[in-house]
Amino acid sequence: MEDQAARLRQLIEDRTGYIPLAECEKIEETDESKKSSARIIAVTSGKGGVGKTNFAVNLAIALSKAGKRVILIDADLGMANVDVMLGTVSKYNLSNLCQDEVSLHDVLLRGPYGVNYISGGSGIEHAADFSVPERQRLMQKLVQCEDLADIILIDTGAGIGKNVLDFILAADEVILLTTPEPTSLTDAYAVMKAYSIYAPNKNMKLVVNRVYDELDSRDVVAKLRRTSERFLKMTVECLGYIYEDRSVMNAVRKQVPFLISYPDAAAAKCIMAIANNLLYGGQVKIKRGWKVFLQHFLDFSR
Ligand SMILES: Nc1ncnc2c1ncn2[C@@H]1O[C@H](COP(=O)(O)OP(=O)(O)O)[C@@H](O)[C@H]1O
Ligand SMILES: [Mg+2]
């Protein structure tokens, strides 16, 4: 059994070029990267299955193509599937960091297509469940991510459960993904509401997924924006939209992200536009930094 698992892992490693960072050369630390702290962006949604993981994985690739050092953290605990989309198998995940003998370099993987990522896993659903020494260990190790990344992208779970809120409230920026479906919109609004109440510095942007034309997206954004301004006194910007596109499903089946397998597809072009918007579109608001993110997430007073 063990033998079979090892062979399977080897097969996948050969196919995707997956290598634990510990076994590769260190990622370059440029002077530029040392000057400013990483941007911490959480990708979330009200309802599950709206396309968060596809979005996060392909956005990470787009940002990395633009020359940014990206670390993607799979924090959709329980439904962790960044590995599945990248076609990789990870030996360690986020929760293994609590173990003394596991280092950040063991869990930080150099995935295919230039994306460095930390695989998700169960066991870290509630940071509050960790003992103080475990939290300290996590903190000490995760804090090192900041020196290795310009952007830390976090794929969270859906909804307003404590485990998701922990992540989105601690991030500098939140991308809220929705589809034009009424159920997706209502659930997106619930996230906006929770965020507007608890977030210390509000910075939420919308992405509308699975639209048939641009008008769909404009309608959705106008509705959410109006409601948010009126009832939550919060302004939300739109970062872009992604077309309904069969290549997304085909790419998932192939386990090769659509930005790579179908670079000319409509969905891939939309992701490139969103990455561009994220990098050059507007002013980046306050960056509190990765350390503050971790302190908030692991909240030592709990
Ligand atoms: N733009 C799109 N066009 C077509 N299908 C999509 C699109 N975005 C997502 N999907 C479909 O939705 C499924 C769920 O996406 P996923 O990224 O796993 O959602 P989540 O992470 O929010 O649960 C995908 O496997 C894909 O089949
Ligand atoms: Mg997901």
Side-chain angles (χ1 to χ4, degrees):
M1 195 66 190
E2 180 63 75
D3 221 44
Q4 216 177 2
R7 266 208 309 278
L8 181 65
R9 201 174 307 128
Q10 188 59 50
L11 201 75
I12 289 172
E13 285 175 16
D14 289 349
R15 190 158 69 89
T16 60
Y18 147 92
I19 319 167
L21 271 185
E23 290 167 25
C24 337
E25 75 279 17
K26 227 172 154 282
I27 302 176
E28 289 283 306
E29 267 180 52
T30 60
D31 284 347
E32 185 59 31
S33 68
K34 278 182 189 155
K35 262 185 258 156
S36 61
S37 56
R39 263 172 95 171
I40 301 143
I41 308 176
V43 176
T44 199
S45 69
K47 194 166 157 304
V50 300
K52 276 185 309 298
T53 306
N54 270 285
F55 173 72
V57 165
N58 286 284
L59 181 67
I61 296 172
L63 293 170
S64 139
K65 274 176 184 276
K68 297 292 168 192
R69 298 166 315 149
V70 184
I71 293 179
L72 173 63
I73 300 182
D74 187 350
D76 188 353
L77 311 157
M79 304 269 255
N81 47 23
V82 166
D83 266 326
V84 181
M85 285 191 196
L86 288 173
T88 51
V89 175
S90 307
K91 189 169 161 200
Y92 296 114
N93 60 52
L94 210 49
S95 61
N96 296 113
L97 281 181
C98 291
Q99 295 160 241
D100 259 338
E101 65 282 9
V102 178
S103 74
L104 177 71
H105 281 269
D106 291 324
V107 301
L108 185 56
L109 303 172
R110 173 158 298 185
Y113 330 113
V115 174
N116 299 307
Y117 76 105
I118 298 181
S119 175
S122 49
I124 188 180
E125 275 88 345
H126 301 283
D129 293 344
F130 291 135
S131 65
V132 171
E134 276 177 335
R135 274 188 249 163
Q136 269 161 348
R137 239 171 282 148
L138 256 178
M139 172 88 182
Q140 276 160 7
K141 292 175 194 171
L142 279 176
V143 94
Q144 305 160 33
C145 280
E146 186 151 45
D147 298 331
L148 303 172
D150 302 312
I151 297 173
I152 299 174
L153 204 58
I154 303 167
D155 179 19
T156 76
I160 48 171
K162 177 128 185 35
N163 50 345
V164 178
L165 275 184
D166 275 344
F167 284 113
I168 68 173
L169 294 178
D172 296 323
E173 301 167 58
V174 175
I175 299 179
L176 177 64
L177 208 70
T178 181
T179 69
E181 277 184 348
T183 44
S184 173
L185 285 179
T186 327
D187 294 352
Y189 181 70
V191 175
M192 289 168 81
K193 189 169 175 183
Y195 183 77
S196 77
I197 296 171
Y198 299 112
N201 300 302
K202 296 163 195 33
N203 189 357
M204 180 172 261
K205 293 181 178 122
L206 296 172
V207 168
V208 190
N209 190 19
R210 309 193 74 156
V211 301
Y212 285 92
D213 58 50
E214 204 202 325
L215 273 181
D216 272 354
S217 154
R218 262 195 248 164
D219 267 2
V220 167
V221 171
K223 264 187 215 148
L224 284 175
R225 195 182 258 163
R226 220 178 310 129
T227 325
S228 171
E229 278 169 9
R230 182 154 171 218
F231 297 107
L232 311 176
K233 310 283 175 250
M234 180 173 78
T235 325
V236 282
E237 276 174 53
C238 174
L239 204 56
Y241 56 89
I242 307 162
Y243 285 114
E244 169 72 31
D245 187 341
R246 261 194 91 77
S247 59
V248 176
M249 193 181 74
N250 292 340
V252 175
R253 285 200 184 150
K254 283 198 200 179
Q255 292 186 274
V256 179
F258 59 81
L259 214 79
I260 303 295
S261 49
Y262 303 100
D264 297 323
K269 288 185 180 152
C270 292
I271 294 281
M272 292 303 285
I274 290 170
N276 203 55
N277 213 347
L278 203 57
L279 292 177
Y280 313 111
Q283 282 292 310
V284 178
K285 280 201 209 162
I286 331 102
K287 289 197 282 187
R288 283 177 300 164
W290 183 234
K291 204 164 185 173
V292 178
F293 171 91
L294 292 171
Q295 265 159 359
H296 187 116
F297 176 62
L298 297 168
D299 190 355
F300 287 92
S301 61
R302 283 195 282 229

